[in-house]
Amino acid sequence: MNTRVLTGITTSGTPHLGNYAGAIRPSVQASAQPGVDAFYFLADYHALIKCDDPQRIARSRLEIAATWLAAGLDPETVTFYRQSDIPEIPELCWMLTCVTPKGLMNRAHAYKASVDQNVARDVEPDDGVTMGLFSYPVLMAADILLFNANKVPVGRDQIQHLEMARDIAQRFNHLYGGGQDFFVLPEVQIEDDVATLPGLDGRKMSKSYDNTIPLFEGGAKALRASVMRIVTDSRQPGEPKDAENAHLYTLYRAFATPQASGEFRRQLEEGMSWGDAKNMLYAHLEDILAPMRERYLDLTAHPDRIEDILQAGAQKARKLSRPLMAQLREAVGLRAAASTTNRNAVAKVNKGKSARFISFRDETGQFRFRLMAADGQELLLSEPFADPKAAGNVIGLLKQQPLNDLATEEKGIVSVKVDGMLISQFETALLPLVRDAIAEMAQD
Ligand code: TRP
């Protein structure tokens, strides 16, 4: 079994060099490891909590998507999507909200920090606190639990949110699981060995300190200008430098092999001037970043390509989220009216709202059909057929023949075959719904 690794990136800013070394680079590397299924998403609903500037939100989503792709994220291997393209996330968020004790949220660090600041300023404790900020950990729990993530790599500030996600998952499992657990309990993964870069002034590189080095913004020129502004001490050219405590060295080391870093260090200790060291750091960064920047500019100039990649990612993600959500709706009692009362009677009265097959021509001109549940949910999509008659015959057969005769199940996927030919595949979780839907039609 692969380990499912999931993390979200809030889309409220422009990535800088510190984000690259601290989060993007290690995540891209982790996603390429064998045995890992990575789910990385743009947390744009989270961005709305902090930012009410639509332009900024839209721009940031694009920049962050382009940065991850330019940095080598392979959308074929990774499920890379936007939170707001997955309607099951807010839906699950509400279900979780309804089992989350308010007291648990009162203890959230981010919320408490706001309250403390307000108290210190002598204003109402909840001044400026929105429900978004207050219940932010529930949304985060929905992000994680919907995809049954095993590991969630995050910064230390997020540890509490992971504990809350586990807590909420346990409550939900306990209330509705009936012995069966819907949710895996996610584990936090703190990357201790990833690089935390110093910013221009030597403090941790962070947008809130206004000391960042841009990653792609402003091109090579802006990169060079920033590197030239990094603080150093007043040691003169020729004087030995204290490399170990030089921010320039820390930055260089985060991007170089041990050999190259050793060489940089030796030169500093032998009296290389700060000016030369800055030129060396700049040249090295530019070597690494230039090809990525080229891909980044190409992507941001073609937002339609980014959109296509994200849409494909959303489709991949929803293959998992939709059937789980169907199970959860069932579990909490949000069922089709027909499944709680007399199904036959209701199905007859509700003509037009019952399950149905829908045939259509796909974008390649071939013929397919979908099976839709009474509530409009897509349960099954067929393989393509060359002619509409063949598709029609298969629909007829599905209505007559017991599904068990045609279906086999393996590793959570049901395959439906007719005369050895694959007709369709779907998640095992959907099997009861597919069976019900077909049975309902057979009675018409
Ligand atoms: N809250 C996280 C942060 O600010 C971003 C995030 C949103 C996230 N949803 C998530 C991280 C789910 C991990 C898993 O960094």
Side-chain angles (χ1 to χ4, degrees):
M1 262 284 271
N2 282 359
T3 304
R4 211 173 265 182
V5 176
L6 176 145
T7 199
I9 309 102
T10 306
T11 53
S12 51
T14 301
H16 55 67
L17 197 67
N19 298 137
Y20 174 73
I24 302 170
R25 187 175 61 185
S27 300
V28 170
Q29 280 166 357
S31 71
Q33 297 289 312
V36 166
D37 282 336
F39 287 66
Y40 296 157
F41 70 95
L42 306 176
D44 50 1
Y45 281 141
H46 280 89
L48 297 182
I49 297 170
K50 306 192 206 171
C51 175
D52 60 10
D53 172 357
Q55 237 65 35
R56 182 84 282 258
I57 297 277
R59 183 78 208 147
S60 174
R61 291 192 334 160
L62 201 67
E63 286 174 353
I64 294 183
T67 302
W68 282 71
L69 294 167
L73 186 87
D74 175 7
E76 294 293 321
T77 346
V78 176
T79 306
F80 185 51
Y81 56 98
R82 247 179 331 219
Q83 187 181 29
S84 63
D85 286 332
I86 314 292
E88 290 78 18
I89 293 177
E91 193 175 356
L92 176 58
C93 181
W94 182 251
M95 286 190 189
L96 300 179
T97 300
C98 294
V99 304
T100 302
K102 175 170 177 285
L104 184 68
M105 295 297 103
N106 287 341
R107 292 198 288 276
H109 299 319
Y111 167 63
K112 280 207 315 203
S114 296
V115 170
D116 289 349
Q117 278 170 17
N118 285 337
V119 170
R121 281 171 45 222
D122 217 12
V123 295
E124 281 290 305
D126 281 339
D127 192 60
V129 175
T130 64
M131 287 306 292
L133 174 67
F134 183 66
S135 44
Y136 161 126
V138 189
L139 179 57
M140 189 160 155
D143 296 331
I144 298 168
L145 302 180
L146 186 62
F147 294 103
N148 276 321
N150 305 107
K151 302 248 176 234
V152 182
V154 283
R156 293 199 169 275
D157 60 325
Q158 302 289 318
I159 294 177
Q160 191 196 31
H161 296 148
L162 259 292
E163 283 163 4
M164 291 175 162
R166 291 169 64 90
D167 204 336
I168 296 168
Q170 269 167 325
R171 270 168 193 275
F172 194 95
N173 283 342
H174 177 72
L175 273 171
Y176 295 112
Q180 171 209 358
D181 283 347
F182 290 112
F183 300 128
V184 165
L185 300 186
E187 278 169 40
V188 67
Q189 189 174 329
I190 299 296
E191 308 280 353
D192 274 323
D193 52 346
V194 303
T196 311
L197 299 189
L200 298 175
D201 56 0
R203 289 184 295 171
K204 179 182 175 207
M205 193 183 297
S206 160
K207 198 172 79 174
S208 38
Y209 294 149
D210 196 20
N211 66 355
T212 60
I213 298 176
L215 183 59
F216 301 136
E217 229 186 350
K221 210 169 145 201
L223 178 64
R224 183 162 208 285
S226 279
V227 169
M228 297 305 149
R229 279 168 49 216
I230 297 169
V231 291
T232 59
D233 62 27
S234 55
R235 275 172 241 207
Q236 297 301 304
E239 258 186 89
K241 313 289 187 293
D242 177 7
E244 203 50 50
N245 292 308
H247 311 312
L248 276 177
Y249 176 59
T250 313
L251 283 163
Y252 193 93
R253 204 171 41 177
F255 291 92
T257 60
Q259 289 89 326
S261 312
E263 177 61 17
F264 188 78
R265 181 193 178 117
R266 192 185 58 75
Q267 293 194 45
L268 276 176
E269 287 170 355
E270 287 175 3
M272 169 163 64
S273 72
W274 289 125
D276 287 348
K278 286 181 173 180
N279 279 325
M280 219 170 133
L281 172 63
Y282 160 70
H284 185 67
L285 288 175
E286 180 58 15
D287 265 358
I288 293 173
L289 299 183
M292 282 190 234
R293 187 190 301 124
E294 205 171 304
R295 289 197 289 272
Y296 174 82
L297 291 175
D298 189 37
L299 280 163
T300 46
H302 299 95
D304 50 318
R305 284 189 211 153
I306 301 180
E307 186 64 31
D308 286 349
I309 290 172
L310 292 171
Q311 289 301 339
Q315 261 188 33
K316 232 195 303 180
R318 293 195 70 199
K319 280 215 169 98
L320 298 166
S321 61
R322 243 184 315 193
L324 177 59
M325 207 56 223
Q327 269 186 311
L328 299 176
R329 291 179 64 100
E330 184 73 24
V332 301
L334 302 178
R335 302 173 185 148
S339 64
T340 48
T341 58
N342 182 333
R343 177 184 294 264
N344 294 342
V346 176
K348 290 262 147 60
V349 174
N350 265 350
K351 264 285 183 210
K353 287 228 179 120
S354 52
R356 63 211 176 275
F357 282 105
I358 297 178
S359 307
F360 66 101
R361 233 174 146 161
D362 70 16
E363 62 279 8
T364 67
Q366 293 187 288
F367 297 87
R368 294 181 188 250
F369 58 84
R370 294 193 166 91
L371 172 60
M372 312 296 286
D375 66 359
Q377 187 195 357
E378 178 184 320
L379 299 175
L380 163 166
L381 168 67
S382 79
E383 295 294 316
F385 296 87
D387 71 291
K389 230 177 170 172
N393 286 343
V394 168
I395 293 178
L397 209 104
L398 284 174
K399 285 187 181 173
Q400 284 156 20
Q401 195 131 335
L403 192 59
N404 278 353
D405 297 353
L406 307 172
T408 50
E409 199 271 334
E410 200 186 1
K411 292 191 182 139
I413 301 288
V414 172
S415 302
V416 181
K417 287 187 186 166
V418 169
D419 295 333
M421 201 175 83
L422 184 67
I423 299 302
S424 178
Q425 292 188 310
F426 52 86
E427 301 266 332
T428 303
L430 284 172
L431 188 55
L433 299 177
V434 171
R435 211 179 264 139
D436 279 6
I438 293 179
E440 194 182 300
M441 282 182 281
Q443 287 160 3
D444 285 350

